[in-house]
């Protein structure tokens, strides 16, 4: 059988002011018709660049493919004239992106966009037939009222509906390969599941699916094969069953351990220490050696090859140590990060720090929150779980004083509070937001960001800012020099640590964490969640933890 996609020793670099960034460094993979392959790894491992290279979508300059071949249906993509390549893009190979709003035009109705996409690939189809075809695909994609949907602009649809429209628009041209880049990351858990099922069910039997994700759970539910990328190269490949049953690389094992669903309730999560190395200069030896729990001295100098396990035709690893192991020994190997420290004990004898009584919020005709009663005790973490749009964030905003309730009472430390809160009450409740990229002012240094509130509230003097910033950064596990740098210089996980430092600077009683880890890679939430638990124990904080992820 001719593979639908064959990538051989692909190297992609980007020219940057700091030097040449080796984003993809010798990746080889192959997919047959009907295959579902999950390409996983933390941000910055080269997954998306690999996928973009397939359709020559790398911005050139600064990016370029320096060597290697990409064959689609036996045809070398690199040597195809642009005109031929355009025929493949969208028709034979479809792409589903993370944020459907960036892929759908905000100025055109869904119907017009779908009709245009159909007729772009076959001009002979009359408009009314194209519209009927689009409607048919919207139904297949789970849109209940296709007629209404066709007449809407994208912003009038929910995130899940937009992603369904995207999937319909990709599948209606009957592609041989779908490349889906984090297609469900921006969606809540229920919609995520529905969208993944949809992609699996309505793609043709011969359509191959390359799914790029940082979420191991998504791969387990959707794919038959997996390739794990780390620092520009593939470190493990195999069937999903064998890789999940007995991971063949310490990095894969660490990614699996770091999934919150793999920890026991009430215990610390297993986090992967450190971060992905800079793509500007890879370390000598195994690129994972400074984060690996199974490192031996040889790993510091010898760069491992990707090799098949002796007793498997499909399972390969790039590890000097585990290549000689059996599935049985790997299955029973224990990660040393899985500590079993118990979570702090809440003080249920004390007055609740937050109590809401019959809280209501109505926006015109929409009842966002209805009769909500909660009590949150010192040292307690209360998880507020539900799908997007069910009122979690509105409730949290009322507790934080950012929204005025239509009806009901909020008590902080036993005292009822109103919309005109005193400075000290405002200090008591702080928030950590979902998106660490947009919640920090890009023009302020980290030191100024985290101490600004403390100066404003008179907790510290202006002259104490530098020492206070160092103390707060130390509490969240960051070096004091970070105070002089700017948010864009940090990774998502580090930015979330900075957000937490800003929140604790005001010595609050309660922190409202609004989806604080849902925008982060699979390896990072465990670090951030463990940090929150450590701070809770140290500072006797209470958390109202809003999430759509039950695990
Ligand atoms: S080669 Fe060594 S450092 Fe690299 S993953 Fe294997 S044990 Fe760890």
């Amino acid at each position: 059988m001719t593979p639908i996609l064959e990538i051989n020793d692909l190297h992609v670099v980007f020219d940057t002011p700091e030097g040449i960034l080796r984003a993809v460094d010798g990746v080889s993979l192959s997919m047959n018709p009907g295959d579902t392959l999950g390409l996983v790894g933390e941000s910055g491992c080269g997954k998306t660049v690999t996928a973009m290279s397939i359709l020559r979508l790398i911005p050139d300059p600064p990016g370029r493919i320096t060597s290697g071949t990409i064959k689609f249906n036996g045809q070398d993509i690199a040597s195809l004239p642009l005109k031929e390549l355009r025929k493949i893009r969208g028709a034979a190979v479809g792409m589903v992106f993370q944020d459907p709003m960036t892929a759908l035009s905000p100025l055109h109705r869904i119907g017009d966009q779908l009709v245009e996409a159909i007729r772009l690939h076959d001009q002979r189809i009359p408009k009314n037939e194209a519209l009927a075809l689009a409607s048919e695909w919207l139904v297949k994609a789970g849109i209940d009222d296709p007629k209404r949907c066709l007449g809407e602009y994208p912003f009038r649809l929910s995130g899940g509906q937009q992603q369904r429209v995207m999937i319909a628009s990709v599948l209606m041209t009957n592609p041989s390969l779908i490349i889906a880049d984090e297609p469900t990351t921006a969606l809540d858990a229920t919609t995520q599941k529905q969208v993944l099922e949809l992609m699996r069910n309505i793609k043709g039997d011969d359509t191959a699916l390359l799914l790029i994700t940082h979420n191991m759970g998504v791969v387990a539910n959707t794919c038959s094969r997996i390739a794990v990328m780390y620092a520009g190269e593939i470190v493990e490949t195999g069937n999903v069953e064998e890789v999940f049953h007995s991971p063949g690389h310490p990095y894969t094992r660490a990614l699996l351990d770091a999934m919150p669903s793999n920890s026991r309730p009430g215990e610390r999560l297993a986090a992967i220490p450190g971060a992905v190395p800079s793509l500007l200069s890879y370390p000598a030896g195994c690129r994972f050696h400074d984060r690996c729990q199974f490192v031996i001295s040889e790993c510091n100098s010898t760069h491992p090859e990707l090799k098949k396990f002796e007793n498997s035709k499909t399972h390969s690893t790039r590890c000097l140590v585990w290549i000689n192991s059996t599935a049985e020994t790997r299955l029973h190997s224990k990660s040393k990060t899985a500590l079993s420290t118990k979570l702090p004990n809440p003080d249920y004898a004390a007055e609740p720090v937050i109590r809401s009584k019959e809280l209501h919020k109505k926006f015109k005709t929409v009842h966002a929150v209805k009769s909500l009663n909660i009590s949150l005790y010192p040292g307690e973490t209360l998880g507020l779980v539900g799908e997007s749009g069910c009122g979690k964030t509105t409730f949290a905003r009322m507790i934080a004083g950012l929204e005025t309730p239509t009806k009901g009472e909020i008590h902080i430390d036993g005292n009822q509070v109103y919309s005109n809160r005193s400075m000290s009450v405002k200090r008591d409740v702080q928030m950590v937001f979902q998106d660490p990229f947009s919640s920090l002012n890009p023009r302020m240094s980290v030191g100024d960001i985290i101490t600004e509130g403390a100066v404003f509230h008179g907790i510290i003097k202006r002259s104490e800012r530098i020492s206070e910033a160092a103390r707060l950064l130390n509490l969240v596990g960051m070096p004091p020099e970070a105070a002089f740098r700017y948010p864009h210089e940090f990774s998502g996980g580090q930015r979330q640590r900075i957000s937490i430092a800003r929140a604790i600077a005001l010595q609050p009683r309660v922190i409202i964490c609004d989806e604080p880890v849902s925008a982060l890679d699979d390896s990072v939430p465990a670090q951030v969640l463990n940090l929150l638990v450590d701070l809770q124990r140290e500072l006797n904080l209470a958390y109202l933890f809003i999430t759509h992820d039950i695990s």
Side-chain angles (χ1 to χ4, degrees):
M1 189 189 297
T2 313
I4 193 86
L5 176 71
E6 218 177 350
I7 301 179
N8 215 338
D9 200 22
L10 180 70
H11 291 255
V12 184
V13 301
F14 287 83
D15 296 313
T16 71
E18 288 81 31
I20 293 178
L21 193 145
R22 283 150 63 200
V24 176
D25 205 30
V27 163
S28 300
L29 53 88
S30 132
M31 291 182 74
N32 287 326
D35 261 3
T36 46
L37 173 69
L39 191 58
V40 299
E42 293 163 88
S43 299
C45 280
K47 311 181 297 284
T48 296
V49 176
T50 304
M52 302 288 264
S53 307
I54 297 171
L55 288 175
R56 290 205 341 234
L57 290 173
I58 301 289
D60 179 7
R64 67 204 138 88
I65 296 175
T66 50
S67 62
T69 54
I70 301 168
K71 284 188 179 164
F72 175 72
N73 254 338
Q75 231 178 351
D76 187 2
I77 294 274
S79 58
L80 272 187
L82 204 57
K83 204 173 157 200
E84 291 299 309
L85 186 66
R86 282 210 186 105
K87 284 187 195 157
I88 292 181
R89 287 180 187 161
V93 183
M95 277 200 87
V96 179
F97 298 94
Q98 174 174 355
D99 183 0
M101 268 312 271
T102 57
L104 294 167
S105 162
L107 301 175
H108 299 95
R109 293 176 198 275
I110 299 293
D112 294 338
Q113 297 190 46
L114 295 185
V115 166
E116 190 192 2
I118 293 169
R119 286 174 35 93
L120 204 64
H121 298 295
D122 192 347
Q123 291 281 347
R124 293 164 304 177
I125 301 179
K127 261 190 177 171
N128 55 347
E129 266 180 44
L131 202 61
L133 190 64
S135 171
E136 216 175 278
W137 274 99
L138 286 179
V139 173
K140 283 188 195 170
I143 299 279
D144 296 333
D145 188 353
K147 205 169 160 209
R148 186 189 77 87
C149 180
L150 286 168
E152 290 289 13
Y153 289 96
F155 67 86
R156 303 260 305 163
L157 306 178
S158 70
Q161 285 172 327
Q162 288 167 3
Q163 202 55 297
R164 285 172 198 274
V165 170
M166 264 310 296
I167 291 169
S169 78
V170 167
L171 286 172
M172 64 193 183
T173 55
N174 199 16
S176 314
L177 171 67
I178 302 170
I179 302 171
D181 191 358
E182 304 276 8
T184 57
T185 306
L187 306 175
D188 66 57
T190 317
T191 317
Q192 229 178 56
K193 195 161 167 259
Q194 290 167 353
V195 167
L196 288 172
E197 266 169 21
L198 170 73
M199 286 209 322
R200 223 179 22 216
N201 295 341
I202 68 168
K203 80 174 185 62
D205 287 347
D206 286 341
T207 306
L209 171 67
L210 176 61
L211 181 68
I212 294 151
T213 177
H214 62 251
N215 188 325
M216 298 294 270
V218 166
V219 175
N221 291 327
T222 316
C223 301
S224 55
R225 286 172 55 221
I226 178 171
V228 183
M229 274 192 88
Y230 186 76
E233 55 188 15
I234 289 179
V235 294
E236 179 169 3
T237 59
N239 292 331
V240 162
E241 220 168 84
E242 56 193 353
V243 172
F244 276 67
H245 178 258
S246 53
H249 194 280
Y251 179 55
T252 316
R253 158 49 57 78
L255 283 178
L256 289 169
D257 285 344
M259 289 167 69
S261 55
N262 276 349
S263 74
R264 278 182 294 186
E267 296 199 338
R268 280 175 79 80
L269 303 167
I272 311 179
V276 180
S278 162
L279 305 182
L280 290 165
S281 62
Y282 289 124
C286 171
R287 291 176 186 173
F288 188 57
H289 76 248
D290 57 350
R291 303 175 78 188
C292 182
Q293 302 169 16
F294 302 89
V295 63
I296 56 171
S297 58
E298 198 190 341
C299 307
N300 299 332
S301 53
T302 308
H303 184 229
E305 305 262 302
L306 186 67
K307 285 188 189 156
K308 278 207 175 82
F309 284 104
E310 210 174 76
N311 49 2
S312 171
K313 288 198 177 100
T314 47
H315 197 179
S316 310
T317 182
R318 193 186 284 278
C319 176
L320 299 168
V321 178
W322 283 23
I323 185 65
N324 299 316
S325 64
T326 62
E328 195 57 23
T329 52
R330 289 196 304 279
L331 174 66
H332 297 298
S333 79
K334 286 269 174 292
S335 299
K336 295 161 201 164
T337 42
L339 302 175
S340 58
T341 318
K342 289 279 178 201
L343 294 180
N345 286 325
D347 183 1
Y348 290 120
E351 179 76 34
V353 265
I354 298 277
R355 175 170 280 170
S356 75
K357 285 186 185 168
E358 294 294 314
L359 213 55
H360 285 256
K361 180 69 192 180
K362 208 171 170 188
F363 296 101
K364 292 189 179 157
T365 54
V366 179
H367 224 135
V369 175
K370 220 171 177 181
S371 304
L372 206 50
N373 300 297
I374 62 140
S375 294
L376 179 66
Y377 291 87
E380 187 182 35
T381 301
L382 176 66
L384 198 57
V385 187
E387 292 173 46
S388 302
C390 71
K392 306 184 300 286
T393 297
T394 306
F395 176 70
R397 287 175 63 83
M398 286 193 284
I399 297 291
L402 300 173
E403 207 73 70
T404 309
T406 317
K407 220 165 73 180
E409 295 174 11
I410 299 171
H411 295 253
I412 296 182
D413 270 335
N415 302 313
Q416 188 171 353
V417 293
Y418 303 92
S419 47
N420 55 342
R421 296 182 182 186
S422 68
M423 291 285 269
S424 70
V425 171
K426 282 182 185 162
R427 252 176 62 182
D428 278 344
V429 184
Q430 291 301 311
M431 279 190 89
V432 173
F433 297 93
Q434 173 176 9
D435 185 358
F437 296 89
S438 62
S439 62
L440 301 175
N441 187 336
R443 292 196 185 84
M444 286 171 78
S445 71
V446 166
D448 285 347
I449 289 173
I450 61 180
T451 55
E452 186 190 29
V455 172
F456 180 76
H457 282 270
I459 299 169
I460 57 163
K461 296 196 192 92
R462 193 163 282 279
S463 58
E464 293 166 338
R465 280 182 98 148
I466 293 179
S467 59
E468 177 65 358
R471 184 186 76 83
L472 291 165
L473 287 167
N474 181 39
L475 271 175
V476 297
M478 290 183 71
E481 311 84 76
F484 304 103
R485 295 165 62 191
Y486 288 82
H488 72 268
E489 298 175 56
F490 296 93
S491 68
Q494 287 171 321
R495 288 187 214 203
Q496 206 54 304
R497 284 174 191 267
I498 295 167
S499 306
I500 294 168
R502 177 178 58 182
I504 58 174
L506 296 185
Q507 301 166 0
R509 306 285 317 279
V510 178
I511 296 183
I512 299 173
C513 305
D514 190 0
E515 306 271 9
V517 294
S518 59
L520 305 177
D521 279 357
D522 251 4
S523 64
V524 184
Q527 295 173 6
V528 174
L529 296 174
N530 284 342
L531 169 67
L532 286 170
V533 172
D534 292 341
L535 291 172
Q536 183 172 48
R537 190 178 295 108
E538 211 166 315
L539 308 173
N540 196 29
L541 291 165
Y543 294 135
L544 180 60
F545 201 94
I546 297 166
T547 178
H548 63 247
D549 183 350
I550 196 88
S551 63

